[in-house]
Amino acid sequence: MKPNFLLFLFIFSSLLCSCGGGVKNPNVGLTLAPFVGFGRAEYRLDKKEIQAELLRLAHEDVDSMTADYRVRSYYLRDGAFLWLDRLGVDRRADSVASYIKDVDQMGFDRDKFRYAQLREDLRRFHELDFGKGHTINRTAARLEYNLTKAFFRYAIGQRFGFINPRYVLNRLDLVDNDSTKTAYRVLYDVHTDKFDKRFYQQMLDKVRHHSVVPFLKEIQPTGPLYARLKRELNAHPPRSQERMRILCNMERCRWRQNDYPAMHTKYVIVNLPSFHLQAVDGDSVLNMRIGCGSNDTKTPLLTGRIKRMDVNPLWVLPQSIIRKDVLKHVGNADYFQSRNFFVKERKSGRVVEPTHITADMLTSKDYLLAQKGGEGNSLGRIVFRFDNNFSVFLHDTSSKGVFRQQDRDVSHGCIRVEKPYELAVFMLEDKDKRLTEKLAYSMGVQRIEPDLNLPDGEKDTLRTDMLLRSVGIKPQVPLFITYFTIYPDQSGRLRQYPDIYGYDRVISRQLRNYF
């Protein structure tokens, strides 16, 4: 049947139904005249024309974010319409537009999500305002493409972050660069959710099943810091430096991890820019200063489980420190002796005389260079060990003065703690008095080995029964090494901290795709 004939039947039926009961018929005088124009060609949706226009839009789109690649790929492969049907567009389009309207409250430019064009094309559909240059099929194609682009950009960004921290931060510091390969130091080693095929399919399904609004609500960052930063953002002028700092920290809040401090009653969290550590056990909080890696030897961002404390540890020097600081002293026996350094053959256990140490030994896998444990050891009197890919850990230090400095990015990558004994007691599940006394004694005694050169009859004062070597931590204590340049202080007030490794600059450059 022709559309006009069906419309006639509907009107005729309405007239018949309203003739009884003395009720005044509201349809008296109703004619087909206002509907005659709907049959004109300019109001007809043509699938082939729309598909051709979609291909043109995809070929012309040169944006380079993950969402943009996915949109282009979808339409270049003749993906089915997501937002259009035979009646045009429905309220899903208005829902997406309403979310895009609010991206300015996140610090972004609406037009990076095609907002102005979306609103204009939606208006044309609502008002049937089509004409030369803005035909119904060209407008429909623009709506289809731009709705998908805006939806993908927004959903992927809010769920996973608008940048990929593992990709961006792990391509900053060169380790090796020759004609065959370029290697970078890993600086971000936190398990973080990333966009994948499953989420891509989920986005498509949510559109097809008319579940856009619940989905967009579900993917919003839920952490309390994100909400606080968003409120702060809208209290600052659009282009202030402080505003950019807020944007960078909001972005960090979008990086969803599989483990958070809030999931635990007892944990340790280190925020590198604030040079600060908190050891939390329920309502009890131990605060202390820390020292961390320098800009050349950055402390990596990671999570772990502290599993063991080694008291008066032996320090085996890594090759990076040997090559940078030690090799130049080969031939100077006093250098090695004054620092309690020794070289040992790994296979035989033979200790090499300081005068016989060579550069080849120091760089060979068959030998190790170590520093004796005890007073003066660079690791201090205790080290807190956890599994990681970098041979970094928390430890005491023999250089206590570092904690009086304002800038404490001074180490080769490990984290130096201001209150090692207090932190050790914190780690214990059962704070047995005898055990804590042994800890205090072991960390304070001058010698950790019996004196074999005492005169006859003189008693050694070293209490070997009080010495601890290693203490297991059960249950293991979660550790979070983070990087926020705006973060709550001990009182809960948001404070700003220096961008010690320049990560804010890196993040802000990437976020400019949305300004």
Side-chain angles (χ1 to χ4, degrees):
M1 288 184 175
K2 294 182 178 180
N4 286 347
F5 182 68
L6 289 174
L7 183 61
F8 174 80
L9 288 179
F10 170 76
I11 296 171
F12 183 72
S13 300
S14 300
L15 290 170
L16 289 178
C17 292
S18 61
C19 288
V23 179
K24 186 177 180 180
N25 182 5
N27 297 309
V28 171
L30 183 65
T31 71
L32 294 175
F35 304 96
V36 170
F38 289 170
R40 297 204 304 261
E42 57 261 40
Y43 294 144
R44 292 187 191 135
L45 290 171
D46 186 295
K47 182 178 180 180
K48 289 185 178 180
E49 284 190 28
I50 295 172
Q51 287 176 327
E53 185 66 17
L54 282 170
L55 287 175
R56 185 186 68 80
L57 291 171
H59 282 299
E60 292 179 355
D61 187 354
V62 295
D63 291 335
S64 59
M65 307 307 288
T66 298
D68 307 319
Y69 286 118
R70 288 290 183 170
V71 175
R72 281 199 297 275
S73 175
Y74 182 81
Y75 290 112
L76 289 174
R77 296 178 181 179
D78 296 324
F81 297 160
L82 294 174
W83 311 91
L84 300 175
D85 57 26
R86 62 188 180 84
L87 299 177
V89 292
D90 57 30
R91 61 184 180 183
R92 292 173 301 163
D94 292 301
S95 298
V96 171
S98 69
Y99 272 88
I100 300 307
K101 179 183 178 181
D102 292 337
V103 298
D104 61 341
Q105 297 179 22
M106 295 155 42
F108 295 153
D109 183 347
R110 293 173 179 171
D111 287 339
K112 294 297 182 177
F113 297 82
R114 307 283 178 93
Y115 178 75
Q117 188 67 64
L118 281 175
R119 291 309 316 172
E120 175 63 14
D121 288 339
L122 283 171
R123 182 197 65 78
R124 290 184 181 280
F125 258 89
H126 292 326
E127 299 176 8
L128 298 178
D129 180 15
F130 305 113
K132 188 176 181 181
H134 297 285
T135 67
I136 188 171
N137 292 311
R138 177 168 288 186
T139 304
R142 273 201 312 265
L143 265 178
E144 171 72 21
Y145 194 87
N146 289 337
L147 280 167
T148 304
K149 188 181 184 75
F151 180 68
F152 279 17
R153 275 194 161 197
Y154 184 91
I156 294 172
Q158 285 295 84
R159 176 58 182 84
F160 301 100
F162 289 89
I163 71 169
N164 181 340
R166 189 174 290 274
Y167 179 85
V168 172
L169 298 182
N170 291 342
R171 285 168 173 77
L172 296 179
D173 288 5
L174 277 172
V175 175
D176 191 15
N177 186 19
D178 58 31
S179 59
T180 59
K181 67 175 181 178
T182 299
Y184 293 92
R185 182 177 291 112
V186 175
L187 301 174
Y188 186 91
D189 198 31
V190 181
H191 179 88
T192 305
D193 293 350
K194 60 181 180 180
F195 174 75
D196 56 17
K197 291 181 180 179
R198 182 178 177 182
F199 189 80
Y200 172 68
Q201 189 60 50
Q202 187 181 13
M203 289 193 298
L204 298 178
D205 292 342
K206 295 298 182 181
V207 177
R208 290 165 179 158
H209 298 156
H210 293 253
S211 300
V212 169
V213 172
F215 176 67
L216 291 177
K217 289 181 178 179
E218 176 186 311
I219 63 171
Q220 300 299 318
T222 57
L225 181 58
Y226 180 84
R228 291 183 68 180
L229 290 170
K230 188 176 178 181
R231 289 193 296 270
E232 284 288 314
L233 177 72
N234 292 287
H236 293 86
R239 297 191 180 278
S240 71
Q241 184 177 358
E242 192 171 353
R243 183 179 174 87
M244 181 60 71
R245 187 188 296 261
I246 295 171
L247 287 173
C248 291
N249 286 280
M250 285 178 66
E251 175 64 11
R252 292 182 176 103
C253 293
R254 297 185 182 102
W255 303 341
R256 313 295 174 85
Q257 302 165 15
N258 67 344
D259 197 7
Y260 288 96
M263 299 168 65
H264 307 276
T265 302
K266 184 175 182 177
Y267 60 88
V268 172
I269 183 167
V270 175
N271 185 39
L272 298 178
S274 62
F275 301 117
H276 186 260
L277 177 151
Q278 278 192 327
V280 178
D281 189 357
D283 294 330
S284 175
V285 181
L286 172 65
N287 289 284
M288 68 186 72
R289 296 182 172 191
I290 60 104
C292 64
S294 68
N295 193 56
D296 290 334
T297 53
K298 299 178 178 68
T299 298
L301 308 185
L302 53 83
T303 59
R305 294 288 188 275
I306 302 175
K307 65 178 184 179
R308 190 177 81 245
M309 299 182 289
D310 292 339
V311 186
N312 293 308
L314 183 80
W315 180 37
V316 178
L317 280 71
Q319 279 295 316
S320 59
I321 295 179
I322 291 174
R323 294 178 184 278
K324 181 179 179 181
D325 298 330
V326 180
L327 278 180
K328 58 189 174 184
H329 296 288
V330 169
N332 182 358
D334 288 341
Y335 171 84
F336 293 90
Q337 290 174 328
S338 64
R339 288 165 175 76
N340 287 323
F341 285 168
F342 65 91
V343 172
K344 183 166 68 174
E345 189 176 23
R346 293 179 184 273
K347 187 174 182 180
S348 67
R350 180 180 65 88
V351 175
V352 179
E353 288 292 328
T355 54
H356 295 161
I357 295 173
T358 67
D360 288 340
M361 289 178 182
L362 293 178
T363 56
S364 171
K365 294 181 179 179
D366 297 329
Y367 293 83
L368 62 81
L369 173 66
Q371 186 180 40
K372 294 178 182 178
E375 191 173 15
N377 185 283
S378 295
L379 301 182
R381 306 307 291 263
I382 191 167
V383 59
F384 304 86
R385 299 196 184 275
F386 54 94
D387 293 336
N388 63 88
N389 297 318
F390 310 95
S391 298
V392 300
F393 29 78
L394 311 183
H395 65 82
D396 181 21
T397 178
S398 57
S399 304
K400 305 293 187 182
V402 69
F403 300 113
R404 294 192 293 270
Q405 299 175 199
Q406 183 174 357
D407 297 326
R408 298 189 292 277
D409 45 341
V410 294
S411 80
H412 288 89
C414 289
I415 293 174
R416 305 176 186 181
V417 298
E418 180 187 22
K419 303 174 183 177
Y421 173 75
E422 291 87 339
L423 186 59
V425 174
F426 165 86
M427 296 291 172
L428 300 174
E429 178 72 8
D430 179 14
K431 302 185 189 333
D432 176 74
K433 182 179 179 183
R434 179 65 173 168
L435 181 56
T436 57
E437 287 176 349
K438 286 186 174 182
L439 265 175
Y441 181 83
S442 299
M443 293 175 63
V445 70
Q446 287 188 335
R447 289 185 294 108
I448 61 173
E449 299 290 345
D451 188 346
L452 302 179
N453 298 315
L454 286 173
D456 291 342
E458 187 171 332
K459 187 177 180 180
D460 195 342
T461 58
L462 179 65
R463 298 179 58 186
T464 55
D465 62 315
M466 290 290 287
L467 289 179
L468 291 173
R469 295 298 184 188
S470 186
V471 180
I473 300 174
K474 293 182 180 180
Q476 297 180 2
V477 176
L479 169 68
F480 302 88
I481 302 178
T482 64
Y483 193 102
F484 285 92
T485 53
I486 301 179
Y487 202 71
D489 62 13
Q490 299 174 32
S491 66
R493 178 186 174 189
L494 287 180
R495 287 193 56 189
Q496 295 190 16
Y497 300 103
D499 183 20
I500 58 173
Y501 293 157
Y503 293 165
D504 277 8
R505 294 196 302 273
V506 176
I507 293 172
S508 65
R509 282 199 299 269
Q510 298 293 318
L511 289 180
R512 290 187 190 282
N513 288 298
Y514 300 96
F515 297 160

